[in-house]
Amino acid sequence: SGRWARAMAILREVEEKCGTPISKLRQVADAMTVEMHAGLASEGGSKLKMLISYVDNLPTGDEKGLFYALDLGGTNFRVLRVQLGGKDKSVVNQEFDEVSIPPHLMTGTSEELFDFIATALAKFVATEGEGFHPAPGRQRELGFTFSFPVRQLSISSGTLIKWTKGFNIEDAVGQDVVGELTKSMEKIGLDMRVAALVNDTIGTLAGGRYHNQDVAAAVILGTGTNAAYVERAHAIPKWHGLLPKSGEMVINMEWGNFRSSHLPLTEYDQALDVESLNPGEQIFEKVISGMYLGEIVRRVLSRMAEEADFFGDTVPPKLQIPFILRTPDMSAMHHDTSPDLRVVGGKLKDILGISNTSLKMRKMIVELCDIVATRGARLSAAGIFGILKKLGRDMVRYGEKQKSVIALDGGLYEHYTKFSTCMESTLKELLGEEIAESIVIEHSNDGSGIGAALLAASHSQYV
Ligand code: ADP
Ligand code: MG
């Protein structure tokens, strides 16, 4: 019937507009490399901020003592403590706790948010017991993973440039987030020093490096997306400070804000962006990351309902609610292997209130999930390929058999198997068989938390 044909036409158009042939991915990777150079050349020189992290030494494995970490960057925040054993002993003990952030705090005041965090941290510190040994007479130290763009002033201070991922607390922008946290800690008498302020990519890089010295870059695919990597200090023209002894500097790319005319964008992406909390910004993030994939699918389904009566004569009201279809639910539908696509049927009913869906409809919805996830996964691979190009690790160098490890973390990468498999196979496709052998993707499980604690250790006031 005409209904099917119209729905199918919408789906085919989305498929065409989301296409990522390898030639396009190469253009995206090249654009990424160009923007990396521009962002390193001058402040404001590119959509890629290429932020200097002040981390010029990554963990070696010799770090020792009790350290805390706090990870804020999505809907949950985590507190953790690790007892580091020093040379050859690695992590002797670790404990963590996860607290979800009440939504009203994500758009309230800076003081309310940091008071809430400090209070949760104090509660966690109070449970310190067997197996954790604070050094006598010393202040406890904390690595603070704060995964929003920050203009770093030192390893342990930095001002918030802007919020992303659904946070919007105006009075915090421009403030030193360590100062804000410290104020809240002092208010409740929590005696703790923030020794390192990093974001999740840098934490993941540090955590990855602790276990494997070949780690060269870290990528987060979670609620948002970002990447960090180790750059040669003299390849950073905008850095006017002393050259670090190591000769290296970790760069926080803030690649979520990348954009390029080569990105395959659709009218659905445009509408999502316009209606978002941060229009015009984080365009790469909006086609790749977990916060948005389900929402893109919802928008297409909504169009199919409106223009092709895909779900019958009326548009299901719940389908009109932004962000109602979350990426984990999209992922569950995409991975449905039951012959009658029972999971898809169940999700449509439970989340969108749509019952009596036919197998034919369910199949189209799985295909839509595949189109949207595949685009995100292949563009992520192009981004990683861009970093490898910048590092000159996309080619075999004469006489060299160097391995490059990319540490990956984030709920999207971890749980959306079809996404991560596609991302990894696309990276191989871009690299070619021979080079692909020397590039390893490693899941750095909760590197961002441990990594921050490790960086607190290497930047302790007592070393
Ligand atoms: P954050 O990025 O908020 O710090 P995570 O790295 O844990 O936290 O990522 C959480 C995000 O991962 C969620 O917002 C969601 O988009 C995505 N995610 C979690 N579970 C799944 C899943 N099963 N399938 C697909 N995406 C998932
Ligand atoms: Mg995280």
Side-chain angles (χ1 to χ4, degrees):
S1 70
R3 192 159 78 87
W4 279 112
R6 270 177 292 151
M8 195 53 95
I10 292 172
L11 186 67
R12 290 291 159 252
E13 195 191 352
V14 173
E15 183 179 31
E16 190 206 313
K17 294 263 165 65
C18 287
T20 49
I22 206 80
S23 57
K24 195 169 207 36
L25 294 181
R26 291 195 188 283
Q27 289 174 316
V28 169
D30 286 342
M32 182 69 80
T33 311
V34 167
E35 293 300 321
M36 288 173 79
H37 277 283
L40 291 172
S42 65
E43 221 58 83
S46 164
K47 283 264 164 202
L48 286 186
K49 290 206 164 63
M50 303 299 285
L51 300 170
I52 291 167
S53 68
Y54 286 82
V55 173
D56 54 18
N57 271 303
L58 285 162
T60 59
D62 298 342
E63 293 74 12
K64 200 171 176 184
L66 169 64
F67 293 91
Y68 277 81
L70 198 161
D71 180 359
L72 176 71
T75 42
N76 292 320
F77 84 94
R78 290 155 40 87
V79 284
L80 77 162
R81 57 179 151 251
V82 294
Q83 186 73 41
L84 303 171
K87 207 170 189 51
D88 303 324
K89 293 216 187 67
S90 183
V91 175
V92 179
N93 218 338
Q94 70 179 85
E95 281 177 352
F96 75 94
D97 197 14
E98 193 165 279
V99 185
S100 67
I101 301 171
H104 72 274
L105 291 183
M106 293 165 69
T107 53
T109 69
S110 175
E111 188 176 359
E112 284 169 331
L113 177 70
F114 284 105
D115 281 356
F116 179 81
I117 291 168
T119 305
L121 180 60
K123 268 189 210 148
F124 181 65
V125 173
T127 64
E128 188 182 284
E130 247 352 76
F132 295 95
H133 309 287
R138 286 187 180 186
Q139 199 180 15
R140 286 185 180 76
E141 293 183 294
L142 172 86
F144 183 12
T145 304
F146 181 79
S147 304
F148 300 94
V150 161
R151 173 100 38 230
Q152 205 90 25
L153 304 170
S154 70
I155 180 68
S156 60
S157 62
T159 56
L160 175 62
I161 297 171
K162 63 171 187 181
W163 291 103
T164 56
K165 297 177 281 191
F167 277 71
N168 192 13
I169 304 170
E170 249 168 65
D171 65 341
V173 176
Q175 298 297 313
D176 173 16
V177 291
V178 172
E180 296 293 290
L181 175 62
T182 304
K183 258 193 288 179
S184 294
M185 292 196 297
E186 280 170 359
K187 241 195 277 180
I188 55 168
L190 175 59
D191 184 26
M192 175 110 74
R193 172 182 172 265
V194 180
L197 170 67
V198 296
N199 77 3
D200 50 2
T201 53
I202 294 179
T204 300
L205 187 62
R209 186 62 86 86
Y210 185 66
H211 297 292
N212 186 337
Q213 291 296 311
D214 291 332
V215 170
V219 173
I220 300 287
L221 294 162
T223 304
T225 183
N226 191 10
Y229 74 105
V230 184
E231 184 57 280
R232 293 161 300 136
H234 63 79
I236 312 172
K238 71 177 177 184
W239 172 250
H240 300 299
L242 288 175
L243 279 190
K245 235 193 258 152
S246 66
E248 296 180 332
M249 177 61 80
V250 174
I251 298 292
N252 164 18
M253 290 176 62
E254 289 297 336
W255 89 355
N257 200 42
F258 173 72
R259 75 182 304 168
S260 154
S261 58
H262 299 298
L263 288 179
L265 298 176
T266 66
E267 58 192 292
Y268 306 98
D269 301 302
Q270 247 139 29
L272 182 153
D273 175 46
V274 168
E275 292 164 35
S276 70
L277 281 175
N278 50 356
E281 291 178 45
Q282 302 293 107
I283 300 300
F284 199 48
E285 179 161 278
K286 284 170 182 163
V287 291
I288 287 180
S289 80
M291 178 159 171
Y292 304 101
L293 295 183
E295 170 64 3
I296 299 168
V297 168
R298 182 199 68 83
R299 283 173 179 271
V300 179
L301 288 179
S302 174
R303 173 69 58 85
M304 286 161 72
E306 285 160 12
E307 292 188 2
D309 295 336
F310 188 60
F311 297 108
D313 295 339
T314 55
V315 179
K318 285 194 176 158
L319 191 53
Q320 311 275 47
I321 303 172
F323 294 98
I324 193 169
L325 183 66
R326 296 159 53 253
T327 301
D329 298 314
M330 164 192 179
S331 161
M333 295 198 287
H334 194 175
H335 288 102
D336 188 357
T337 53
S338 64
D340 55 345
L341 297 177
R342 180 168 353 117
V343 179
V344 180
K347 292 285 176 195
L348 291 170
K349 186 158 186 296
D350 298 343
I351 299 164
L352 301 171
I354 302 169
S355 40
N356 302 324
T357 46
S358 67
L359 182 59
K360 196 167 163 192
M361 288 166 82
R362 295 176 187 184
K363 279 188 176 159
M364 277 176 72
I365 292 168
V366 173
E367 203 185 333
L368 173 59
C369 294
D370 192 58
I371 291 166
V372 173
T374 299
R375 177 182 64 162
R378 287 176 66 81
L379 289 173
S380 316
I384 295 174
F385 186 58
I387 298 176
L388 290 169
K389 282 189 123 173
K390 173 72 181 71
L391 291 173
R393 297 188 186 210
D394 61 319
M395 294 178 289
V396 186
R397 280 177 293 186
Y398 185 72
E400 226 177 306
K401 265 270 175 228
Q402 186 185 21
K403 271 222 162 21
S404 302
V405 178
I406 319 280
L408 261 109
D409 200 12
L412 183 69
Y413 174 75
E414 212 177 327
H415 303 299
Y416 202 149
T417 312
K418 282 188 188 283
F419 185 101
S420 37
T421 312
C422 174
M423 202 249 332
E424 288 177 28
S425 64
T426 307
L427 183 61
K428 286 210 170 79
E429 194 182 339
L430 284 163
L431 288 164
E433 222 170 286
E434 193 183 359
I435 318 294
E437 275 173 33
S438 66
I439 310 288
V440 182
I441 288 197
E442 219 169 66
H443 178 205
S444 167
N445 205 358
D446 185 42
S448 67
I450 299 266
L454 291 166
L455 290 166
S458 49
H459 296 87
S460 163
Q461 63 192 316
Y462 303 110
V463 295

